[in-house]
Amino acid sequence: MEAPPFSSSCSSSPLSSTARLLSSSSPSSSLLFRRNSFSKTHYSAKFKSPRNLSVRASGDSVVTLLDYGAGNVRSVRNAIRYLGFDIKDVQTPEDILKADRLVFPGVGAFAAAMDVLNKNGMAEALCSYIEKDRPFLGICLGLQLLFESSEENGPVNGLGLIPGVVGRFDSSNGFRVPHIGWNALQIKNDSEILDDIGNHHVYFVHSYRAMPSDDNKEWISSTCNYGDNFIASIRRGNVHAVQFHPEKSGDVGLSILRRFLYPKSTTTKKPTEGKASKLAKRVIACLDVRANDKGDLVVTKGDQYDVREHTEENEVRNLGKPVELAGQYYIDGADEVSFLNITGFRDFPLGDLPMLQVLRYTSENVFVPLTVGGGIRDFTDANGRHYTSLEVASEYFRSGADKISIGSDAVYAAEEYLRTGVKTGKTSLEQISRVYGNQAVVVSIDPRRVYLKNPNDVEFKAVKLKNPGPNGEEYAWYQCTVNGGREGRPIGAYELAKAVEELGAGEILLNCIDCDGQGKGFDIDLIKLISDAVSIPVIASSGAGAVEHFTEVFMKTNASAALAAGIFHRKEVTVQSVKEHLLKEGIEVRI
Ligand code: 1PR
């Protein structure tokens, strides 16, 4: 159904700005691997290869991109290029008015984005472009900005094209905020770009959302349920916007982008309601990366964090090349890929250019979220040049990371916070989450079990164990460590998790040194303890050895995702077989 022409006009807010309009640098043109180069071993009919969606556009295949420099839009660039289009960056408001098709991947906070748009005359140009019903695709914040206002650090006026206020998710009803992960859409109105959605999930990551109402119902093409029904996408004529991230939604996300970029390829197929119904549990492949003794960056994997072979040479265990393995796990259906630079605590990551290259190359072909961790902290190099943790994180984001993960530095920050009760705003955790949003900040915890006869023997939260300790101890507390498990700290995993949530972490990656590489299953006691204690998503990690371990962790704890490394690297179990097993056991996953 064709929607009526636009009637609302732009509101503008006289906000001051320190932000600058930056056009981001173009990524490296060289490729470690080209598309179609992935091997398709273990391919299962249920999990389709994303490669069949690549479209070669011809002629005027240029997309205008509005990137106001507030965050990482590299993934959007990569997806557009992958689909065969060139990108023209908006430099002036006239570039918006002259665009044939405009993509607006809003990133960062609502107020800062409006600030930049108003200051540069972009807000007016955007409104004019949209009111003329020119082809437009807003992504995430690029959808929210179309509304009248947002409560994010506000109220703050938006572009005022769609009636409604953008508000925060309510976490009091037990739903974890941010809303991170793969969720299902309910199609409300015909929107050609969603025609392939079927029963697929798409990837969301946000804390704020717009709600459906009588005033905006003509705009809504789909909703999503997370506690309540919020607006997942809008469509009016040639104007589309989505709250989710098509550039991070794998196969189906690429098809949504392709349908927008290449409308001639759309069919008359009607949208279908699928079986997907809610937030899916995520399966994450993790790559512990470090330089081996020859200086090559390799994927390694430890047993209880010991990554050296027990041979005379004592070399670092080498399980493959990071970019290739990440590509393979994407093909296999991994919902996310994490890179942990495990020697980042001693080697400065910005000196570790190969790691940045790994991210750049991976993000050119892998269209699910990428997390990178290791070495995110303030650092002064040999020349006396000081780098803040924010600069380190920014470099990771610019290179293709969607989330960064902080280990050791978060432990120090939590200890300080618990000691003083004061949030200084200066810790890496606080600074990065303030600039990039807490959904972009993961805290990786590396705890070790300390057995106890009596839970009152320590000031830290202890749990009653399912299986007693080596001397019959019935309790344990989980001591946090830093520097890759080398140093125990006076803080428990429970205390740390609660503190980092308050400091701005958006997600917790919960490892367990005792279980790492053992293949005997996740530490259910620990994961239950932490996932019940916080209201941000918890990723269960360490110990997966069989598909049943994933089912167990999702059935017995409130983990939102489960991560594994060794079993995938050694090809003992594939991501597909994990998902097939979860589905069989009635646990919703992305297919
Ligand atoms: O402290 O901010 O520099 O971050 C360092 C990061 O590197 C932390 O996230 C820390 O967990 C990680 N790390 C440091 N040393 C090691 C090591 O193994 N020697 N790896 C290490 C941690 C744990 C998991 C692993 C799961 C699943 N690896 O990520 O992938 O335990 O393994 P499994 O399925 O084989 O059991 P900073």
Side-chain angles (χ1 to χ4, degrees), residues 460-478:
F460 309 106
K461 181 94 170 173
V463 290
K464 189 158 182 8
L465 297 167
K466 200 165 42 117
N467 302 312
N471 300 310
E473 298 94 338
E474 287 185 29
Y475 297 89
W477 71 285
Y478 289 89

Side-chain angles (χ1 to χ4, degrees), residues 168-180 206-207 226 279 282 438 494 497-502 505-508 528-539 558-560:
R168 195 168 198 277
F169 278 111
D170 180 6
S171 58
S172 62
N173 54 10
F175 282 82
R176 289 164 197 272
V177 181
H179 172 220
I180 298 182
H206 58 133
S207 298
Y226 191 65
L279 190 67
R282 286 171 279 155
N438 65 348
Y494 175 88
K498 289 182 84 68
V500 296
E501 179 178 20
E502 285 185 42
E507 201 169 18
I508 286 173
K528 196 165 161 17
L529 173 74
I530 305 300
S531 62
D532 287 346
V534 294
S535 63
I536 51 178
V538 171
I539 302 168
N558 283 315
S560 300

Side-chain angles (χ1 to χ4, degrees), residues 26 190 250 401 475 506:
S26 61
D190 198 359
Y475 297 89

Side-chain angles (χ1 to χ4, degrees), residues 286-288 300-307 340-346 373-377 405-410 444-446 481-486 509 511-513 515-519 522 541-545 563-570:
C286 181
L287 293 87
D288 289 354
T300 188
K301 184 67 211 65
D303 288 326
Q304 299 182 327
Y305 286 31
D306 175 5
V307 298
L340 295 177
N341 185 354
I342 68 169
T343 50
F345 70 90
R346 61 162 188 247
I376 295 179
R377 66 202 148 97
S405 160
I406 310 176
S408 308
D409 214 44
S444 167
I445 312 184
D446 298 314
T481 65
V482 292
N483 300 346
R486 286 168 182 77
L509 164 55
N511 303 296
C512 176
I513 296 179
C515 297
D516 175 59
Q518 304 305 294
F522 297 96
S541 166
S542 304
L563 171 151
I567 48 166
F568 296 148
H569 304 335
R570 294 188 299 270

